[in-house]
Amino acid sequence: MHEHWQLKKQRSPIHDQSRIDEYYELARENGALGGKLIGAGGGGFLMFYTEDKTRLRHAMREAGLREVRMRFDFEGASLVARS
């Protein structure tokens, strides 16, 4: 993930935003092994991979970021409603 982030920053001028880089570096300094900017349009999310969730969560919270928890779905596509 870290290598991909570095390559993406070189390709995309939108990733020149210093605040995003500051948050990314803060995450790396606090246990993140890599990260990715995900989402589209007005904002998006920073997603990180770490083996020390507590340390990373604390550092990001101290920086004023809000955690959005997620989990993986291994069920695949499903029908939610029928009309």
Side-chain angles (χ1 to χ4, degrees):
M1 284 178 86
H2 180 65
E3 205 171 300
H4 178 265
W5 175 263
Q6 298 303 316
L7 292 171
K8 190 168 188 166
K9 281 186 2 176
Q10 291 173 7
R11 286 192 327 254
S12 305
I14 193 163
H15 296 289
D16 286 342
Q17 298 176 4
S18 63
R19 202 161 59 163
I20 293 171
D21 287 335
E22 288 172 16
Y23 292 144
Y24 184 85
E25 288 307 315
L26 178 64
R28 294 269 298 159
E29 290 166 5
N30 285 280
L33 301 175
K36 185 172 178 71
L37 181 62
I38 59 174
F45 296 86
L46 284 167
M47 178 177 68
F48 297 107
Y49 175 79
T50 184
E51 294 178 354
D52 188 349
K53 295 185 284 190
T54 303
R55 178 178 168 199
L56 181 59
R57 282 178 174 146
H58 179 73
M60 297 292 99
R61 193 176 308 121
E62 287 291 312
L65 298 179
R66 184 171 56 97
E67 178 182 9
V68 177
R69 293 195 182 201
M70 56 149 294
R71 60 189 168 130
F72 292 101
D73 176 5
F74 297 99
E75 300 290 319
S78 61
L79 182 61
V80 177
R82 279 187 192 193
S83 53

